[in-house]
Amino acid sequence: MPAINGTNTTPTRPLRPGVWAPIPTFFLPNSQDLDIPTLKKHVIHIAHANIGILLCGSMGEAHHLSPEERILVITSAREALDSAGLHSIPIIAGTGAGSTRETIKLSKEAAQAGADYSIVIPSGYFTGALASDRAALKTFFKEVSEASPIPVMIYNYPGASGGIDMDSDLIEEMAMELPNVCGVKLTCGNVGKLTRIAATVSVPSFAQEYPRKNKDAPFLVLGGFIDFLLPSLYANAHGAITGLANLFPYTIAALWAASNATLPTSSGHPSNAAELLRQAQVLQGIVARADRTVAVTGIAGTKWMMEKRYGYGGVCRRPLSPLSNQAGETLLVHRHVTDIERLEKEIEMQKGLERKHLKNGVTIPNGNGVTKTATNGVSVLAMA
């Protein structure tokens, strides 16, 4: 069994900046039992696109899963990755529950099941008491992170926690005071909050003054949407966790690579920095428009689209309703969706092949670094 992150000096699967897909949990249509074969298939598909794996989050309908089902999901995903030779891919698993006690228990079980990191959302059932009680929220994360055998990521999502919206001051305090906390996911969509937290944790003195319990699990600041990835990197953020990556993983990987290519290195900006930025901006626009258009249809919309793209996706667990076919067909032909769908298909066709022209003008380098140029001269750096 691999060493557990947080209890070992060097984790087997370090936490690095990047983009993660919150993996849906798949259910059989009639019984609504877990569909483990589909889960394994999808996890491997996403990992092959160089997108990280996050299980049992909001997109994974964690609130609809029993503790035993969560553990089965984690175990099955680890088995799938290992069977595909993807041993180095870490797993982030949602372990937030109704009480501190249950959250700690789930975190320990998730670690044993193969999770490398946990992501924890505060319970929203007693939001009237908790939302304004900063001390209670900090105590919750303190007790969970101190008891967890794996590093813990803070999950700030007011829409899924009864309106609890932790501000930047509180999150920064926890980053400083809780060494087994390894980051924050901001699905509040507050760009200013992201900027403030990233500014605090990105200075070299932060890591020196507030070292992590695990030196390979740094404090990452991640957006909960992919619609501002490019500008967020200029604010020293570290990536995003986005449901859109379940549908268009290669395009999301391309955006991550293109955005990073625009950043200065120790030797300064590349000579073609202006052109690289222009290309990344075009790609960010395509992704940002699709992100909102798909996100407003919820989990059901993502699963409906997955059914069309992959032949699997299935239903949500009740009481969540499926997306109507009429709404799905409208989504399918929406310009924002067809734009990113066309790009994804082109990347899928082109990865690893020779130089070819792409209709929508996006350039993709193959695995050997050979750039494929499109007809209108717009190029992005994609991880092929």
Side-chain angles (χ1 to χ4, degrees):
M1 179 178 178
I4 297 174
N5 286 351
T7 61
N8 208 21
T9 304
T10 303
T12 56
R13 305 177 189 97
L15 185 67
R16 297 188 177 96
V19 180
W20 285 261
I23 304 297
T25 302
F26 302 96
F27 305 105
L28 298 173
N30 295 320
S31 66
Q32 295 210 323
D33 291 339
L34 295 180
D35 181 355
I36 295 300
T38 297
L39 172 74
K40 289 184 172 183
K41 181 192 304 182
H42 186 61
V43 164
I44 292 172
H45 171 63
I46 295 302
H48 275 149
N50 292 312
I51 297 293
I53 304 298
L54 188 151
L55 305 168
C56 302
S58 302
M59 179 65 72
E61 299 181 63
H63 190 67
H64 291 164
L65 303 179
S66 69
E68 294 77 17
E69 286 177 321
R70 289 205 210 191
I71 298 309
L72 179 56
V73 166
I74 297 166
T75 303
S76 300
R78 185 72 264 163
E79 289 174 353
L81 291 169
D82 290 347
S83 69
L86 301 170
H87 304 281
S88 64
I89 302 296
I91 288 176
I92 303 175
T95 60
S99 67
T100 302
R101 177 190 177 95
E102 184 66 18
T103 302
I104 291 171
K105 182 173 182 290
L106 270 172
S107 298
K108 291 178 178 179
E109 292 174 350
Q112 292 297 327
D116 302 282
Y117 306 91
S118 72
I119 183 167
V120 173
I121 189 170
S123 173
Y125 190 84
F126 295 108
T127 187
L130 286 175
S132 60
D133 192 339
R134 297 168 63 85
L137 289 169
K138 186 188 289 187
T139 299
F140 169 71
F141 281 102
K142 179 177 187 295
E143 293 178 345
V144 169
S145 64
E146 288 179 349
S148 173
I150 51 178
V152 175
M153 187 172 291
I154 299 165
Y155 186 10
N156 189 63
Y157 184 13
S161 60
I164 295 175
D165 188 5
M166 294 172 280
D167 61 31
S168 55
D169 291 339
L170 177 58
I171 295 170
E172 288 173 20
E173 287 172 15
M174 291 192 287
M176 295 174 186
E177 298 172 15
L178 308 180
N180 201 34
V181 167
C182 63
V184 62
K185 177 189 179 185
L186 297 170
T187 312
C188 51
N190 189 324
V191 179
K193 183 187 299 185
L194 176 143
T195 302
R196 290 188 292 273
I197 299 169
T200 297
V201 305
S202 64
V203 295
S205 60
F206 178 86
Q208 298 166 5
E209 294 177 25
Y210 309 104
R212 300 297 91 188
K213 180 180 179 180
N214 192 313
K215 65 181 180 62
D216 288 322
F219 193 97
L220 301 186
V221 182
L222 305 172
F225 300 95
I226 197 72
D227 55 0
F228 61 106
L229 179 68
L230 173 61
S232 77
L233 295 186
Y234 279 85
N236 292 315
H238 303 96
I241 300 171
T242 170
L244 196 67
N246 286 297
L247 292 166
F248 309 107
Y250 287 99
T251 301
I252 300 304
L255 175 60
W256 171 251
S259 298
N260 277 279
T262 70
L263 298 173
T265 65
S266 57
S267 57
H269 283 282
S271 58
N272 61 339
E275 178 60 17
L276 289 174
L277 180 58
R278 185 183 72 85
Q279 295 164 2
Q281 288 171 331
V282 171
L283 183 55
Q284 177 68 89
I286 294 171
V287 170
R289 288 188 288 268
D291 192 33
R292 182 186 184 280
T293 299
V294 174
V296 296
T297 66
I299 300 169
T302 295
K303 286 192 166 185
W304 194 96
M305 285 288 296
M306 289 178 70
E307 195 73 49
K308 290 293 184 181
R309 287 213 87 236
Y310 306 133
Y312 62 80
V315 297
C316 303
R317 249 191 191 165
R318 290 188 290 271
L320 286 183
S321 299
L323 192 72
S324 70
N325 283 330
Q326 180 180 0
E329 294 295 342
T330 299
L331 176 64
L332 192 64
V333 298
H334 194 291
R335 179 173 58 86
H336 298 165
V337 173
T338 58
D339 283 350
I340 196 170
E341 174 73 27
R342 186 181 306 114
L343 176 55
E344 182 75 6
K345 287 181 177 178
E346 289 169 348
I347 296 176
E348 289 172 343
M349 288 189 298
Q350 296 298 331
K351 67 185 186 79
L353 302 179
E354 297 300 321
R355 181 186 297 261
K356 289 187 179 180
H357 292 286
L358 305 178
K359 289 182 292 185
N360 74 347
V362 178
T363 311
I364 307 157
N366 65 16
N368 298 319
V370 178
T371 301
K372 303 176 180 73
T373 306
T375 52
N376 71 356
V378 178
S379 63
V380 298
L381 297 175
M383 300 297 293

